[in-house]
Amino acid sequence: MTMEKWIEINRLKKNVDDFQLGPIDLSFEASTITAVVGNNGAGKSTLLKVLMRLAAQNEGEIKVFGQLIDSEAEGWKKRIAYLPQTLVGCDSFNGNQLRELVSKWYPTWDQSLFEQLVEMYQIPLTKKYGKLSQGVQQKLNLALTLARDAEILILDEPTAHMDIPSKQLLLDVIVEWMERGEKLIIISSHQAEDIRKLADYVVVMKEGQLLGKFEKEELTSQYKQYWMEDSLPNEPIPGVIERKNERILVSKCAEETESYLASKQLKWLRAKNLEIEEIITYMLIGKAS
Amino acid sequence: MELPIRLSKESREPIYHQIEEQIKALIAGGQLPAGTPLPSIRVLSKELEISVITTRRAYQNLEYQGFIRTTQGKGTFVAEIEASKKEEVTVSAVYQAIEKAVETALRHDYTLEQIEAVFQEIIASLKEKGGHDDDGKMD
Amino acid sequence: MSEWKQARWLAMFEVKASLKGIITLIALSFGLAIFFTEVFSITIMEDVPIVFDVFFLFTFWVLAASFRPKEHQLKRMGGDIWVSPYFIMLNQLPVKKNVLVLSRFISYFTISIPFHILVLILIYTLSSEYRAYMPVGSYLVFSIIWLSFGVLCGSMFPASDVGEKISTLKAIVYSVLFYGGILAVLIVIYYVFNKGIVEMTMYAAKEWPLPSILISILLAAIGLLYYKGYVYKRIDKVDYLH
């Protein structure tokens, strides 16, 4: 299994009116799925759009497959399939026309995969895009994006308007898609399930800044909640980020906290790893929801 | 195929190790006979809601220890293993389960003598009922 | 595939999708021809040249653009960015920049030029007055002048797809200045030369056919190249963040 860096972002900065993104240093490796999470307005979409060269950065550089991206050569773009949060400019086209327009530019286009997705989601291809419901529009976009079968897939909130069964189906589709060859997926999402079931890595963003890129279990093994046997002394405890009451505490560094508790002969009745969405909440707002 | 693996959020045991031990137990117990295809790393990761890095680590360890084998392009399968190795796994699983019970008792400030007494009591009551339960599962 | 071929493919895809606009323009060209020949005769044109000029300019400048599909037309996309949504979508696809730029102009002119030719042919066919005023040769020169005008000024529409950052207030001020400016130029020309510009082009076509053709085509080419270069530079400057 190679862990080749397919995307490298160095010292990236982008100013949009009074919002500042970055500086960001980040890389994405082959055969991984990374979820980009953060509050609304954290700059997730902006980051993905700059990555697609839909807006030029103010500083820094982006390399895709080792090449600096630029607007002259489109070769690197053929190797990325990008799904924007909302697809604009195609209300008057129907699914068949959009398929014709999109498939033209991808030598890797997989017609049978497209048909399979259309069948699975029951997407009407003869109805104008503008007349479809938001959920169906999103399904059509996904079919148009996944069937490009490019090596890199960038999904900006792909499931925001979808019903529960459709979301479940998509999880399976993405896992299957990942196994079609050496692939890389970056998915921005507010859905806890997408993160739990798909992500290997989690990129956390807040107010334009990158809080970090973490391996999922690196987070879930470190963030723990403890139910103590006795009331705790009122002194600071290493790693502890919240005390819910005098007997329940939450740590973001289990090792430090546990060795401290052990040294003070403080015992706990129960310890539990936090769920990934609880951890993200701590990271973004500094306390439990 | 879906594997009956359950990860504990409360265990201090690392996730990859939990997976490893449970697959070993399934193989040793005969629930996964030799040649059974195992889910791909990506599929198992989705089911268990963990990263492929963790799942891959578990699979690599299992492969290293000879419990599973990976054929390029075909997938991962349960390997042929000797009876003695199965035995080893079973024995170690039983030891681990009992060790865990003892640890729990110790955490609740039981002395070793008290624990021994509890153990004797349980054994005695099982004997009284007439034998042990064959279908009993180990967790 | 060559860039030209790709650009043509993309343009044709759009033309096929613009059927409604095309049919409307065909219907309009009949209406306009009748309007220019029946409602306005050349004699009337001499009396109220500015009104005639305004309609004529309108036909050869903005009319074809206003019947482009809605997605092609500029829309405010968050903040002060005015851009054609369809262009945003194309920009997300791996289309070579050159192909993207070329196709904008091809798809626009594939519709606007035949429309202008149709209007010109219909005017000449319907009006004996025009035929008497200009022999076929001169009318041909007159047509070339106005077709070139259609290219020179029409280029701004496909060029504007690429987007511009401008506040609503500025946009209003600019359009008032733009249309006011055109009107002012027409009025000034009328008072200086005592002729409307359409009448002047008729005169030029009759008196100096060759220089008229050369100058018109040259101006059209310069305009086209200028706007193509403009789009080429703008793509890298505009943020397509919406």
Side-chain angles (χ1 to χ4, degrees), chain A residues 169-232:
Chain A
L169 285 172
L170 182 66
L171 294 173
D172 290 329
V173 166
I174 287 180
V175 165
E176 269 171 43
W177 186 89
M178 209 48 202
E179 303 207 294
R180 294 170 72 89
E182 219 178 341
K183 302 277 188 191
L184 161 61
I185 298 181
I186 303 171
I187 176 171
S188 115
S189 178
H190 293 301
Q191 314 283 329
E193 193 162 29
D194 292 350
I195 302 160
R196 280 194 269 123
K197 296 209 184 249
L198 294 176
D200 302 316
Y201 292 95
V202 182
V203 163
V204 188
M205 292 181 68
K206 187 180 180 180
E207 289 156 14
Q209 302 300 307
L210 178 71
L211 295 188
K213 178 182 170 184
F214 309 93
E215 190 197 319
K216 198 164 50 180
E217 275 77 61
E218 181 193 326
L219 290 177
T220 49
S221 66
Q222 288 301 319
Y223 279 75
K224 278 191 180 176
Q225 176 162 323
Y226 299 89
W227 285 264
M228 304 305 294
E229 231 171 54
D230 302 300
S231 295
L232 285 162

Side-chain angles (χ1 to χ4, degrees), chain A residues 31 33 172 175 178-179 196-198 200-201 215 217 258 267 270-271 273 275, chain B residues 9-12 15 40 42-43 45-46 49-54 56 107 109:
Chain A
S31 302
I33 301 181
D172 290 329
V175 165
M178 209 48 202
E179 303 207 294
R196 280 194 269 123
K197 296 209 184 249
L198 294 176
D200 302 316
Y201 292 95
E215 190 197 319
E217 275 77 61
E258 284 177 22
K267 288 186 177 156
R270 217 187 126 201
N273 294 90
E275 298 288 346
Chain B
K9 296 237 172 264
E10 302 190 20
S11 170
R12 294 183 64 178
I15 304 278
S40 72
R42 178 60 67 190
V43 168
S45 302
K46 178 198 165 233
E49 304 188 343
I50 55 175
S51 79
V52 290
I53 300 123
T54 305
R56 189 176 303 128
R107 236 194 348 260
D109 293 337

Side-chain angles (χ1 to χ4, degrees), chain A residues 35-36 83-86 120-121 134-142 146 154-174 186-198:
Chain A
V36 181
L83 176 97
Q85 220 176 87
T86 42
M120 181 181 92
Y121 278 139
Q134 272 187 315
V136 181
Q137 286 182 347
Q138 211 161 27
K139 290 171 189 171
L140 176 56
N141 290 347
L142 271 163
L146 288 163
I154 299 180
L155 303 171
D156 196 353
E157 289 189 42
T159 55
H161 305 287
M162 277 205 222
D163 53 58
I164 292 170
S166 301
K167 278 185 200 170
Q168 293 294 320
L169 285 172
L170 182 66
L171 294 173
D172 290 329
V173 166
I174 287 180
I186 303 171
I187 176 171
S188 115
S189 178
H190 293 301
Q191 314 283 329
E193 193 162 29
D194 292 350
I195 302 160
R196 280 194 269 123
K197 296 209 184 249
L198 294 176

Side-chain angles (χ1 to χ4, degrees), chain A:
Chain A
M1 189 65 66
T2 53
M3 287 298 263
E4 220 181 310
K5 277 183 189 167
W6 276 4
I7 299 176
E8 270 185 273
I9 299 171
N10 297 316
R11 309 299 302 159
L12 180 81
K13 270 194 197 170
K14 173 72 192 167
N15 301 322
V16 186
D17 303 324
D18 20 342
F19 173 79
Q20 199 198 333
L21 177 74
I24 287 177
D25 286 281
L26 192 57
S27 65
F28 300 94
E29 288 85 26
S31 302
T32 60
I33 301 181
T34 303
V36 181
V37 303
N39 316 64
N40 296 320
K44 304 184 295 290
S45 291
T46 305
L47 174 65
L48 299 182
K49 289 201 156 89
V50 174
L51 186 52
M52 282 305 288
R53 196 63 176 70
L54 299 174
Q57 67 262 32
N58 296 92
E59 278 175 46
E61 55 170 35
I62 299 171
K63 281 186 193 164
V64 175
F65 295 111
Q67 300 270 306
L68 283 176
I69 60 165
D70 72 87
S71 66
E72 298 298 329
E74 86 303 353
W76 62 275
K77 247 185 175 178
K78 285 188 195 292
R79 301 172 75 180
I80 304 183
Y82 164 68
L83 176 97
Q85 220 176 87
T86 42
L87 190 61
V88 295
C90 52
D91 282 1
S92 63
F93 299 122
N94 66 31
N96 283 318
Q97 288 170 312
L98 286 170
R99 200 242 332 124
E100 193 188 345
L101 179 61
V102 170
S103 63
K104 166 92 179 163
W105 312 99
Y106 295 89
T108 47
W109 179 264
D110 185 335
Q111 182 61 22
S112 69
L113 176 60
F114 179 73
E115 282 162 14
Q116 185 193 324
L117 292 167
V118 165
E119 166 80 29
M120 181 181 92
Y121 278 139
Q122 303 277 303
I123 306 166
L125 291 181
T126 49
K127 214 169 163 187
K128 281 191 175 164
Y129 186 84
K131 303 259 186 238
L132 300 172
S133 72
Q134 272 187 315
V136 181
Q137 286 182 347
Q138 211 161 27
K139 290 171 189 171
L140 176 56
N141 290 347
L142 271 163
L144 288 166
T145 311
L146 288 163
R148 297 174 199 183
D149 208 10
E151 290 146 288
I152 300 176
L153 181 62
I154 299 180
L155 303 171
D156 196 353
E157 289 189 42
T159 55
H161 305 287
M162 277 205 222
D163 53 58
I164 292 170
S166 301
K167 278 185 200 170
Q168 293 294 320
L169 285 172
L170 182 66
L171 294 173
D172 290 329
V173 166
I174 287 180
V175 165
E176 269 171 43
W177 186 89
M178 209 48 202
E179 303 207 294
R180 294 170 72 89
E182 219 178 341
K183 302 277 188 191
L184 161 61
I185 298 181
I186 303 171
I187 176 171
S188 115
S189 178
H190 293 301
Q191 314 283 329
E193 193 162 29
D194 292 350
I195 302 160
R196 280 194 269 123
K197 296 209 184 249
L198 294 176
D200 302 316
Y201 292 95
V202 182
V203 163
V204 188
M205 292 181 68
K206 187 180 180 180
E207 289 156 14
Q209 302 300 307
L210 178 71
L211 295 188
K213 178 182 170 184
F214 309 93
E215 190 197 319
K216 198 164 50 180
E217 275 77 61
E218 181 193 326
L219 290 177
T220 49
S221 66
Q222 288 301 319
Y223 279 75
K224 278 191 180 176
Q225 176 162 323
Y226 299 89
W227 285 264
M228 304 305 294
E229 231 171 54
D230 302 300
S231 295
L232 285 162
N234 216 352
E235 58 197 275
I237 302 174
V240 168
I241 46 176
E242 194 188 12
R243 291 191 189 195
K244 291 190 170 173
N245 60 36
E246 67 269 22
R247 286 176 63 181
I248 300 178
L249 51 86
V250 178
S251 166
K252 67 169 182 175
C253 186
E255 285 162 32
E256 273 182 33
T257 306
E258 284 177 22
S259 76
Y260 177 86
L261 294 176
S263 74
K264 298 275 167 179
Q265 309 260 303
L266 295 165
K267 288 186 177 156
W268 60 92
L269 295 166
R270 217 187 126 201
K272 180 194 84 160
N273 294 90
L274 296 190
E275 298 288 346
I276 191 75
E277 56 266 37
E278 295 175 294
I279 297 170
I280 291 166
T281 306
Y282 272 113
M283 293 177 99
L284 293 179
I285 61 174
K287 57 182 195 298
S289 47

